[in-house]
């Protein structure tokens, strides 16, 4: 995507990147964005205060904090860096106009449904935001909530929910193992009356960590084999104290940046167990890594020299290759010899960013067909969801506009790997999910400036 240079992007939102320097050094990842935000919502379900450690300073956390505060939850910074204390003691209904200020800024508000229904008997959820990577419907969420007994009223500004007869356990099968819908069911079932059985549930590490949070609060949740989760509702829950799993998407993004720039980056805090599938692919394309087993832990990722190898991969739900790892890795694949094939099976429109890479010199073609071993939901629906990447390509600098969070970070990686000076517009979007990314870039020796 090329920016109209006559446009009015605020200068503070533009990053100038002098590329061609391998990234070298060490940075740290904190709690996973996609767990922390959900654990914050879970605090609404408790009678007492909850404490969350290692919370990253990112925009998504700010949005959830704002929404919780609007609902009377007292959120304070604890003594330790990254410690957040959430006290729902005075939770109350929020003013709809105030909630609407948050409309469109994140997808997390949808997860307030169950906790607010339990706490207040009703909920108002503003229109959702998040990354533009496909239609991102919420039909599974709504279906599940109705099964529990909620009444959902769609209005132009958002959703109004009530549960005049309370929320009751139910048997429900998800049409697809959606992360958000599984979390919706968990956050509703833990205090619903009776037993809930969820089939075809998502089992991502962030979900298992959310289950750990809920168990600490007093919930009874069994994770069976074959994606079945059973929840025995309890009338009351307490607070929790929790240290979240590290952000495996951020860790993989830095790993890909090390590979694409020919560098060597240690990601302190990254955890092998959550990244096994990524590590296998990283190694098979010619990247090197070493696990640090010290108390802080971490993974060192580097380009060992020589040529990278092309690969074929499909994104999938856990334990498959995460869709959020796809865009950063593709930048590195532009440097691999041969034809790489990427089949995106989680989101139908997550390859649009390849256009920008092509403008920088990459050779990537996108296809409507399923170019993978498994035909997916998008094959017959006219979505360009497979890519063939021919490499290696010499990337050159360009002016880029960031379309969404993960693609945005990939643009940055491409600019860092390219020869010359690029301007990246809309970088503030990256703050949604990458804490202090500019300081981290500088710490790794990148030449960037606002
Ligand atoms: C979560 O999104 C993450 N976001 C995403 O990360 C991540 O890419 C995704 O899970 C998959 O791992 C957060 O945790 C905040 P889904 P979520 O429901 O829960 C379809 C990032 O950059 N679907 O698992 O919204 C949907 O359209 C973000 O950190 C329905 O059809 O994802 C998609 O094709 C981007 N109906 C598929 O399921 C529904 O009601 C998977 O979505 C719900 C989902």
């Amino acid at each position: 995507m090329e920016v109209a240079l006559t446009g009015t992007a605020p200068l503070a939102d533009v990053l100038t990147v002098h590329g061609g320097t391998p990234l070298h050094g060490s940075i740290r990842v904190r709690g996973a964005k996609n767990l922390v935000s959900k654990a914050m919502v879970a605090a609404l379900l408790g009678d007492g205060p909850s404490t969350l450690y290692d919370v990253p300073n990112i925009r998504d956390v700010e949005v959830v904090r704002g929404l919780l505060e609007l609902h009377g939850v007292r959120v304070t910074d604890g003594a330790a860096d990254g410690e957040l204390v959430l006290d729902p003691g005075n939770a109350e209904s929020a003013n709809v106009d105030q909630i609407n200020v948050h409309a469109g800024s994140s997808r997390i508000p949808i997860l307030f449904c169950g906790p607010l229904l339990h706490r207040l008997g009703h909920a108002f959820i503003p229109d959702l935001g998040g990354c533009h990577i496909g239609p991102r419907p919420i039909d599974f969420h709504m279906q599940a909530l109705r099964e529990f007994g909620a009444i959902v009223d769609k209005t132009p500004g958002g959703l109004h929910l009530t549960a005049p007869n309370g929320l009751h356990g139910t048997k429900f099968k998800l049409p697809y193992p959606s992360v958000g819908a599984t979390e919706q069911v968990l956050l509703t079932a833990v205090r619903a009356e009776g037993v809930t059985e969820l089939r075809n549930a998502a089992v991502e590490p962030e979900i298992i960590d959310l289950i750990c949070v809920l168990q600490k609060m007093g919930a009874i949740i069994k994770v069976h084999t074959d994606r079945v989760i059973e929840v025995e509702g309890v009338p009351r829950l307490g607070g929790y104290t929790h240290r979240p799993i590290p952000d495996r998407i951020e860790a993989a993004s830095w790993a890909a940046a090390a590979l694409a720039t020919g560098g060597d980056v240690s990601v302190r805090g990254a955890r092998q167990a959550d990244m096994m599938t990524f590590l296998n692919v990283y190694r098979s394309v010619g990247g090197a890594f070493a696990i640090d087993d010290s108390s802080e832990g971490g993974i060192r990722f580097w380009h060992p020299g020589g040529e990278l190898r092309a690969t074929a991969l499909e994104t999938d739900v856990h334990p498959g290759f995460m869709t959020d790892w796809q865009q950063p890795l593709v930048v590195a694949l532009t440097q691999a010899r041969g034809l790489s094939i990427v089949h995106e099976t989680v989101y139908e429109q997550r390859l649009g960013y390849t256009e920008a890479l092509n403008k920088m010199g990459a050779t990537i073609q996108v296809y409507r067909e399923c170019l993978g071993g498994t035909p997916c939901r998008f094959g017959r629906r006219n979505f360009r969801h497979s890519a063939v990447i021919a490499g290696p390509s010499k990337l050159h600098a360009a002016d880029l506009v960031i379309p969404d969070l993960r693609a945005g970070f990939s643009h940055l990686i491409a600019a860092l790997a390219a020869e010359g000076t690029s301007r990246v517009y809309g970088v503030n979007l990256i703050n949604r999910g990458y804490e202090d990314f500019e300081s981290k870039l500088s710490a790794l020796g990148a030449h960037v400036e606002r």
Side-chain angles (χ1 to χ4, degrees):
M1 197 183 305
E2 214 158 16
V3 69
L5 293 177
T6 50
T8 53
L11 280 181
D13 201 9
V14 184
L15 198 68
T16 302
V17 179
H18 307 286
T21 310
L23 297 187
H24 272 277
S26 160
I27 46 101
R28 179 169 177 263
V29 289
R30 298 222 264 188
K33 158 177 115 44
N34 291 347
L35 175 276
V36 166
S37 45
K38 289 56 174 295
M40 290 173 74
V41 178
L44 254 180
L45 289 161
D47 286 340
S50 291
T51 304
L52 200 50
Y53 295 112
D54 226 12
V55 174
N57 184 10
I58 52 174
R59 175 93 188 106
D60 266 21
V61 166
E62 264 175 54
V63 170
V64 183
R65 181 177 184 154
L67 272 171
L68 287 169
E69 286 172 342
L70 281 179
H71 285 94
V73 178
R74 206 163 151 254
V75 186
T76 44
D77 296 316
D81 180 33
E83 179 182 333
L84 217 53
V85 181
L86 307 112
D87 185 352
N90 294 318
E92 58 183 14
S93 304
N95 174 301
V96 169
D97 292 335
Q98 285 180 317
I99 299 179
N100 265 327
V101 173
H102 294 272
S105 46
S106 163
R107 295 191 63 76
I108 310 296
I110 192 69
L111 296 177
F112 277 67
C113 294
L116 285 179
L117 284 171
H118 283 303
R119 189 107 213 170
L120 309 170
H122 59 91
F124 172 71
I125 311 298
D127 284 337
L128 299 178
C131 291
H132 304 290
I133 49 184
R136 303 191 80 182
I138 51 166
D139 49 338
F140 305 163
H141 295 248
M142 294 303 111
Q143 252 172 289
L145 286 161
R146 288 192 180 103
E147 291 282 332
F148 280 106
I151 294 176
V152 184
D153 186 15
K154 288 187 188 160
T155 66
L159 301 169
H160 284 274
L161 294 102
T162 50
N165 301 314
L167 296 167
H168 301 274
T170 182
K171 279 192 174 192
F172 188 68
K173 181 175 179 191
L174 285 172
Y176 181 81
S178 149
V179 169
T182 300
E183 292 161 344
Q184 182 76 263
V185 169
L186 286 169
L187 292 167
T188 308
V190 283
R191 276 186 53 186
E193 198 200 316
V195 175
T196 296
E197 183 189 283
L198 179 65
R199 282 178 294 137
N200 207 23
V203 290
E204 268 62 9
E206 291 78 8
I207 295 215
I208 302 302
D209 209 34
L210 179 63
I211 292 176
C212 291
V213 167
L214 294 167
Q215 188 178 51
K216 285 175 173 173
M217 298 175 81
I220 302 172
I221 305 172
K222 297 174 196 157
V223 182
H224 296 293
T225 51
D226 295 343
R227 301 191 174 278
V228 176
I229 298 180
E230 192 184 318
V231 184
E232 203 177 308
V234 294
R236 301 176 78 101
L237 292 172
Y240 64 80
T241 297
H242 190 70
R243 186 171 293 279
I245 58 165
D247 200 309
R248 64 196 176 117
I249 306 178
E250 184 183 352
S253 304
W254 291 113
L259 201 56
T261 62
D264 185 335
V265 175
S266 290
V267 184
R268 301 194 319 274
R271 210 165 66 172
Q272 179 186 15
D274 307 327
M275 298 188 69
M276 283 193 161
T277 310
F278 179 83
L279 294 174
N280 286 335
V281 173
Y282 200 76
R283 179 171 278 158
S284 70
V285 301
F289 64 86
I291 311 297
D292 167 9
D293 282 321
S294 68
S295 58
E296 185 183 33
I299 307 179
R300 175 184 161 212
F301 297 94
W302 73 99
H303 190 313
E307 280 199 326
L308 298 180
R309 296 181 287 273
T311 192
L313 69 91
E314 287 181 279
T315 64
D316 206 346
V317 293
H318 189 74
F321 190 91
M322 279 190 99
T323 170
D324 303 279
W325 291 332
Q326 182 253 106
Q327 300 96 321
L329 192 79
V330 163
V331 183
L333 290 180
T334 64
Q335 304 309 303
R337 175 152 311 272
L339 293 181
S340 291
I341 298 174
V342 172
H343 182 204
E344 168 61 56
T345 77
V346 180
Y347 288 112
E348 52 273 65
Q349 287 167 28
R350 219 174 188 183
L351 293 173
Y353 72 97
T354 55
E355 246 179 71
L357 297 186
N358 283 342
K359 291 217 169 86
M360 298 177 81
T363 308
I364 305 176
Q365 285 199 6
V366 289
Y367 295 87
R368 294 189 171 86
E369 291 76 13
C370 294
L371 298 184
T374 333
C376 77
R377 298 169 294 152
F378 312 134
R380 288 163 195 267
R381 291 174 50 208
N382 227 9
F383 291 114
R384 293 177 196 274
H385 70 293
S386 295
V388 176
I389 304 126
S393 302
K394 199 166 175 54
L395 299 180
H396 50 77
D399 288 334
L400 307 162
V401 183
I402 284 185
D404 69 64
L405 177 61
R406 305 299 169 195
F409 199 83
S410 305
H411 282 19
L412 256 191
I413 300 176
L416 291 162
E419 285 296 327
T421 299
S422 299
R423 268 172 303 174
V424 187
Y425 290 77
V427 279
N428 286 344
L429 199 55
I430 296 181
N431 293 324
R432 263 197 56 216
Y434 293 87
E435 181 182 44
D436 277 344
F437 73 92
E438 281 174 75
S439 325
K440 288 180 183 173
L441 282 172
S442 300
L444 296 174
H447 301 298
V448 296
E449 70 229 20
R450 281 268 174 176

